[in-house]
Amino acid sequence: MSYVIEEILESLREARIRKGYSQRELSARTGIPQSHISKIESGSVDVRVSSLIVIARVLDTELFLIPKKLVPALTSIVRSHSDTEYDNRQISPAYTLDEHLDD
Amino acid sequence: MSYVIEEILESLREARIRKGYSQRELSARTGIPQSHISKIESGSVDVRVSSLIVIARVLDTELFLIPKKLVPALTSIVRSHSDTEYDNRQISPAYTLDEHLDD
DNA sequence: TAAAATTATATATAAAAACATATCATTTTT
DNA sequence: AAAAATGATATGTTTTTATATATAATTTTA
């Protein structure tokens, strides 16, 4: 299985989880059998593009074809908007009402 | 045929032309029969994702799955780097050796 | 730890892609 | 205008997806 398809399938699964859908629910929303969705996610079938698109749409995602030279820029954007990775830098309030609180 | 697949197929064809490949040459480079490439480009088959990826790779493009909310940002980037649309704004040289030339 | 829900696997069948190959129609080049 | 290249179409065959359905295995929840 190619790296690209692995990436796409992983993104799909992540998107499904993020929406809180089970395979059954995704099945109901797409009309694609749960058993087949399982195979698709596991990469055990060479899915047709129409199936991919139907699933993508239900998961609020979209399939794109982009020039390779733009890949770094895009991954950067996607990464920065990712919900799985979050900003945990410490910020200091400009002032506090409760000056004795520890960090 | 869905809008998304139409877009992708159009991008593929454009990318092929941009590389100066005929369907025959793309066929030779991908191992996919020319007759089938013709069908794919015309949207008369529901192409499998592996075929799409093989073709995309040869054409220096890549398939991506992105959150819908990022679509505007991405289309903007892709558009600004597009080769089909080019910058034809008039620029003025800082100086000329030939001062009597008309605009 | 039971029960329930979810995911993976199995089987049989139908539908469609993908293939090899050939050829026709159209466009481009010489 | 003739030759060459390109793209579309046709046919028969093979391979594989996709479907329906059931059930087993695993994970989550009560």
Side-chain angles (χ1 to χ4, degrees):
Chain A
M1 193 172 35
S2 84
Y3 175 68
V4 175
I5 183 64
E6 276 184 8
E7 286 245 307
I8 289 175
L9 296 183
E10 191 184 322
S11 300
L12 270 188
R13 192 182 187 107
E14 279 173 13
R16 176 174 67 80
I17 306 296
R18 201 175 313 125
K19 293 224 77 169
Y21 293 167
S22 65
Q23 290 183 353
R24 267 195 167 72
E25 180 146 11
L26 184 56
S27 166
R29 287 175 188 271
T30 58
I32 297 171
Q34 177 269 324
S35 61
H36 198 232
I37 289 176
S38 171
K39 285 188 210 158
I40 291 171
E41 282 190 356
S42 71
S44 67
V45 293
D46 188 357
V47 65
R48 295 184 194 171
V49 70
S50 66
S51 306
L52 211 54
I53 288 172
V54 167
I55 295 172
R57 179 165 47 231
V58 167
L59 298 178
D60 291 331
T61 56
E62 194 171 317
L63 210 54
F64 254 77
L65 189 81
I66 59 154
K68 269 205 181 99
K69 65 174 178 181
L70 298 186
V71 169
L74 295 207
T75 51
S76 162
I77 290 179
V78 172
R79 195 156 25 78
S80 71
H81 286 253
S82 165
D83 292 336
T84 61
E85 197 172 308
Y86 41 89
D87 187 351
N88 54 8
R89 282 171 301 177
Q90 201 66 29
I91 56 161
S92 314
Y95 68 94
T96 64
L97 298 175
D98 222 344
E99 294 290 346
H100 62 279
L101 274 178
D102 288 327
D103 294 319
Chain B
M1 192 171 37
S2 83
Y3 175 66
V4 175
I5 184 62
E6 275 184 9
E7 286 245 308
I8 289 176
L9 297 183
E10 190 183 323
S11 299
L12 270 188
R13 192 182 187 106
E14 279 172 13
R16 177 174 67 78
I17 306 295
R18 202 176 312 126
K19 294 225 76 171
Y21 293 166
S22 66
Q23 289 184 353
R24 270 192 165 72
E25 179 146 11
L26 183 57
S27 166
R29 288 176 187 271
T30 57
I32 298 171
Q34 177 268 325
S35 61
H36 198 232
I37 289 176
S38 170
K39 286 188 208 156
I40 291 171
E41 283 190 355
S42 71
S44 66
V45 292
D46 187 356
V47 66
R48 295 183 194 171
V49 71
S50 66
S51 307
L52 211 53
I53 288 173
V54 167
I55 295 173
R57 181 164 48 231
V58 167
L59 298 178
D60 292 331
T61 57
E62 193 172 318
L63 210 55
F64 253 76
L65 188 82
I66 60 156
K68 269 204 182 99
K69 65 174 178 181
L70 298 186
V71 169
L74 296 208
T75 51
S76 163
I77 291 179
V78 171
R79 194 156 25 77
S80 69
H81 286 253
S82 166
D83 292 336
T84 60
E85 197 172 307
Y86 42 90
D87 187 351
N88 53 8
R89 283 171 302 177
Q90 200 66 29
I91 55 162
S92 313
Y95 69 95
T96 63
L97 297 176
D98 223 342
E99 294 290 349
H100 62 279
L101 274 176
D102 288 326
D103 294 311

